Amino acid sequence: MAAAMLKRSSMMKSVVIGGLRMAAASRAYASVAVGSDIISAAPNVSLQKARTWDEGLSSKFSSTPLTDIFKAKKVVIFGLPGAFTGVCSSQHVPSYKNNIDKFKARGIDLVICVSVNDPYVMNGWAEKLLAKDAIEFYGDFDGSFHKSLDLTTNLSSALLGTRSHRWSAYVEDGKIKILNVEKVPSEFKAHLISIGGAKSFLGRKKRLINGLTDKQKELQRKFFEAIEKQELVECGTLGLKSNQCSAIAISIAIS
Amino acid sequence: MAAAMLKRSSMMKSVVIGGLRMAAASRAYASVAVGSDIISAAPNVSLQKARTWDEGLSSKFSSTPLTDIFKAKKVVIFGLPGAFTGVCSSQHVPSYKNNIDKFKARGIDLVICVSVNDPYVMNGWAEKLLAKDAIEFYGDFDGSFHKSLDLTTNLSSALLGTRSHRWSAYVEDGKIKILNVEKVPSEFKAHLISIGGAKSFLGRKKRLINGLTDKQKELQRKFFEAIEKQELVECGTLGLKSNQCSAIAISIAIS
């Protein structure tokens, strides 16, 4: 059931940024692609910054227009199917959080995590992950942001309802420079290598993660090979678990 | 805005249970009322027991039919607008949790907290409140349970979307014996005295809460008076804050 509902196709294309030719996953069917302006792709759409209920009250339940988030900024944004879902979600956030200084050192103004959840749930999850200082969490409580970008998917069979794909993007002054959209949620044991990492715009120098076992190093070698070939490879194909995949992807991102 | 959207009327009526005539809030417009069968009021509807994502996977994302929850059981069930919302939600759950032994001693098989959230968010919240051992938490991820009972309300102006009213019920073998539906969510600073407590079916002997200040005792006296008169009185009218109200209501419930 879950497999059937998740059958959507992705394709690879390469983009040139900063003189480097790089691999990026894109979707033929998305309403946005590399080159799109994320602000005009979702006109009149706002996101809701994570906050406690009391902060919500004192903020008069305000939302944040996309222009305030993206205009004149370099932003890494990643979305996932839900707060409190999956090992991969839990791994995904820390892999950004733990490397936030390296993102900042490379000129990234903001790293944002977004999900089709209300801002109080997002806040509860961010607090649990001890990630609020490093990452800005936003809710998309009615899904209007993800609907505008054609990034929604029906996850009712996983007791979630309409949520978003797992995706990540690098956005400069509103323009999408890199867009990765996962074909199959990692919770279903297949995780695309292109997701989670922002490898393309942060360079491609390889560095091993400290503490990897020999087997993991061998998996990582295969992983690098796949990137060299600009292949879109599922973690399952490489024998990787989704959390290993996420950790390796972010290792590439920051190297 | 919030006030406007929440204008709905409730009315009081009295019911006779166990030879005692008791006050209970009911709604003229609800699809269920005292005497309704909750199972047939929501046919083919299931709830989703709170669990971690990994437990979700190993359970094959199973749901629990209402008949499994209510058939041949004495159940106290309470619903609220959302996990991680409001001081009152945080106070509401502990007031049941901390008195669970007294509920059990009176023959209640289950105390259930339900909300229009997915079961993983419900689990995250239950864990944060340290309440999983005492109370069973269920998600109603697509709102179908609350829609069937006509208990939904649009809380988009509070960045929540379609959620449930704050409500509580006592249900014996599927039959609703007491139904309390809050007119105005406590988050908006008015909390009906009938909510939160299951005073009616647990008896009406009065007992002061330990540690109340003189002012709080005076408020409690007014509170008892209102119950004697079978009046539906908002906490605001009594000068009570919603968390005081919740604590006093449950004090009545267990006394």
Side-chain angles (χ1 to χ4, degrees), chain A residues 25-178:
Chain A
S26 187
R27 299 196 309 166
Y29 54 83
S31 71
V32 288
V34 170
S36 298
D37 186 303
I38 201 167
I39 301 169
S40 39
N44 304 314
V45 165
S46 296
L47 293 172
Q48 307 87 44
K49 195 162 187 182
R51 73 201 89 170
T52 65
W53 178 264
D54 285 350
E55 289 166 349
L57 267 174
S58 57
S59 73
K60 297 181 180 171
F61 301 117
S62 64
S63 286
T64 309
L66 292 190
T67 188
D68 290 2
I69 297 172
F70 293 105
K71 195 72 185 167
K73 295 200 192 99
K74 293 180 179 179
V75 178
V76 170
I77 183 167
F78 63 101
L80 31 78
F84 294 99
T85 63
V87 171
C88 194
S89 296
S90 308
Q91 296 287 337
H92 206 61
V93 172
S95 54
Y96 282 93
K97 173 195 160 197
N98 297 335
N99 293 295
I100 193 69
D101 290 343
K102 291 164 187 166
F103 280 107
K104 298 277 174 165
R106 280 166 177 77
I108 307 301
D109 296 301
L110 288 178
V111 176
I112 290 173
C113 175
V114 64
S115 176
V116 181
N117 284 107
D118 68 58
Y120 324 109
V121 162
M122 286 303 274
N123 187 67
W125 191 48
E127 285 186 346
K128 188 184 176 189
L129 296 175
L130 304 173
K132 275 186 83 177
D133 290 341
I135 297 170
E136 291 197 2
F137 288 78
Y138 282 88
D140 176 27
F141 84 91
D142 59 0
S144 58
F145 175 66
H146 287 92
K147 278 177 207 152
S148 296
L149 304 185
D150 189 19
L151 287 171
T152 56
T153 183
N154 185 345
L155 295 175
S156 293
S157 66
L159 311 178
L160 287 167
T162 299
R163 299 299 181 98
S164 83
H165 289 277
R166 190 176 302 274
W167 65 284
S168 62
Y170 171 58
V171 185
E172 273 186 14
D173 192 27
K175 294 285 183 302
I176 297 174
K177 298 292 186 179
I178 304 284

Side-chain angles (χ1 to χ4, degrees), chain A residues 48 51 53-54 61-63 83-87 118-121 124 127-128 141 156-161 163 187, chain B residues 51 53-54 57 61-63 83-87 118-121 124 127-128 141 156-161 163 187:
Chain A
Q48 307 87 44
R51 73 201 89 170
W53 178 264
D54 285 350
F61 301 117
S62 64
S63 286
F84 294 99
T85 63
V87 171
D118 68 58
Y120 324 109
V121 162
E127 285 186 346
K128 188 184 176 189
F141 84 91
S156 293
S157 66
L159 311 178
L160 287 167
R163 299 299 181 98
E187 291 84 356
Chain B
R51 71 201 92 170
W53 178 265
D54 285 349
L57 268 174
F61 301 118
S62 65
S63 286
F84 293 99
T85 64
V87 172
D118 68 58
Y120 323 109
V121 162
E127 285 186 346
K128 188 184 176 190
F141 84 92
S156 293
S157 65
L159 311 178
L160 287 166
R163 298 300 181 97
E187 290 84 356

